[in-house]
């Protein structure tokens, strides 16, 4: 096996192991804001998967959530991940903006069904009313 391939496999294994460790440590956090923030990106990934497959979601919203998902998975970052605290900040900001954009184009009940996390965090992100109501969807907004 070529040396570069071994290096890539080792790096991928270390990254995967660190993700598993972070997920396990996040589960040990006491309930509250810190735990909600630790669950934010995993909840967003689950929401992206669910919204991407839902036929009630408009194409523009799907493009926004897929873009956010690709941004998080991309190895290229504006702020390197290894910097403590601020490393994942660009991921969080891009995901929050894309989810907020998509949420305003998706009926709130669809968004509620797709979001696996704390509803208060979702309300803070997109507002209490959230996306379109069924009556405004046909009004040409």
């Amino acid at each position: 096996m070529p040396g570069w391939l071994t290096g890539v496999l080792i790096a991928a294994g270390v990254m995967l192991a660190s993700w598993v460790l972070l997920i396990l440590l996040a589960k040990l956090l006491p309930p509250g804001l810190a735990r909600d923030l630790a669950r934010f990106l995993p909840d967003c990934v689950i929401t992206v998967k669910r919204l991407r497959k839902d036929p009630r979601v408009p194409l523009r919203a799907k493009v926004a959530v897929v873009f956010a998902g690709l941004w998080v998975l991309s190895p290229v970052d504006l702020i390197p991940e290894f910097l403590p605290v601020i490393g994942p900040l660009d991921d969080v900001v891009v995901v929050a903006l894309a989810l907020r954009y998509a949420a305003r184009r998706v009926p709130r009940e669809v968004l509620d069904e797709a979001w696996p996390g704390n509803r208060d965090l979702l309300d803070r992100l997109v507002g209490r009313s959230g996306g379109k109501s069924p009556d405004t969807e046909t009004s040409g907004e």
Side-chain angles (χ1 to χ4, degrees):
M1 184 180 311
W4 64 269
L5 184 58
T6 304
V8 168
L9 290 175
I10 289 171
V14 167
M15 188 171 71
L16 183 63
S18 67
W19 285 353
V20 168
L21 178 65
L22 286 173
I23 289 169
L24 292 174
L25 289 174
K27 288 181 185 263
L28 297 175
L29 287 171
L33 183 60
R35 186 176 192 152
D36 290 345
L37 290 176
R39 288 281 319 148
F40 178 73
L41 279 178
D43 288 346
C44 287
V45 169
I46 292 168
T47 303
V48 165
K49 285 181 183 179
R50 291 176 179 172
L51 289 177
R52 188 174 46 96
K53 295 176 183 175
D54 196 313
R56 300 171 289 180
V57 177
L59 181 61
R60 282 183 163 184
K62 286 182 180 183
V63 169
V65 295
V66 167
F67 173 78
L70 291 174
W71 183 275
V72 170
L73 295 175
S74 170
V76 178
D77 275 329
L78 295 177
I79 304 171
E81 298 294 328
F82 63 82
L83 294 174
V85 181
I86 65 167
L89 188 61
D90 63 328
D91 293 340
V92 170
V93 169
V94 168
V95 167
L97 290 174
L99 193 57
R100 188 175 176 98
Y101 172 85
R104 292 181 176 183
R105 283 145 185 82
V106 174
R108 181 57 192 241
E109 62 275 2
V110 174
L111 191 59
D112 286 341
E113 289 172 19
W115 184 258
N118 184 334
R119 294 281 180 246
D120 292 338
L121 191 59
L122 181 63
D123 289 343
R124 278 188 259 153
L125 178 64
V126 299
R128 297 231 184 271
S129 60
K132 291 183 174 185
S133 67
D135 353 334
T136 61
E137 198 156 341
T138 57
S139 66
E141 225 179 282

